Amino acid sequence: MPTPVGRLTVLYDADCPLCVHLRHWLLRQRQLVPLDLVPAGSREAMRRFPALDHAATLREITVIGDRGQVYRETSAWIVCLWALAEHRPKAHWLATPAGQPFARMTVLAAAKWREALKGPDRGDGPGGDGPAEDGSARDGLCADGHCEVPGPPG
């Protein structure tokens, strides 16, 4: 029986310190299904997936399978874990009715943290206040490779 997915492309926000951290984490894991990590909204993303709503991919993680499957939000995180050797059993559980609330809460918490890291005055894209072209943080937020945990909003 053929594998339903042979390769996954993860579109991530390269201007988000949390997203970049998770990109590096994914790359360090043993992959059962190869992951290509491509900045969302980039020329490469647009070249590979011309019909995709690229503005939406900057707001939420999007994963595309090699057979045209598109996973967004919670499903995208679960399929990323499914692709990893050590995390596939957890991905199977997170996809069940018992695990889905945990997966959803994790995604919501990550979205809140991401929002707090970016802040209301942070740009979304080239020329904004996110990482420079070389991937380093412009504002020093993660300049030493460690991102600070934001305090509560307000």
Side-chain angles (χ1 to χ4, degrees), residues 49-65:
F49 311 106
L52 204 57
D53 177 357
H54 290 279
T57 67
L58 284 166
R59 291 187 300 274
E60 189 63 59
I61 183 174
T62 304
V63 178
I64 300 99

Side-chain angles (χ1 to χ4, degrees), residues 18-76:
L18 175 61
C19 304
V20 172
H21 173 78
L22 290 171
R23 172 195 181 273
H24 291 300
W25 180 81
L26 285 169
L27 289 172
R28 288 191 309 266
Q29 306 304 305
R30 190 165 66 86
Q31 300 172 4
L32 296 174
V33 176
L35 298 174
D36 295 328
L37 290 111
V38 177
S42 68
R43 280 187 221 150
E44 179 64 14
M46 290 182 209
R47 183 190 68 76
R48 289 185 186 201
F49 311 106
L52 204 57
D53 177 357
H54 290 279
T57 67
L58 284 166
R59 291 187 300 274
E60 189 63 59
I61 183 174
T62 304
V63 178
I64 300 99
D66 59 350
R67 295 188 181 176
Q69 311 94 319
V70 178
Y71 306 91
R72 291 186 173 89
E73 301 176 353
T74 306
S75 297

Side-chain angles (χ1 to χ4, degrees), residues 114-140:
R114 177 178 181 250
E115 183 180 312
L117 281 173
K118 284 190 131 189
D121 298 329
R122 302 274 315 240
D124 281 337
D129 292 331
E133 294 269 331
D134 66 359
S136 63
R138 288 194 177 126
D139 60 2

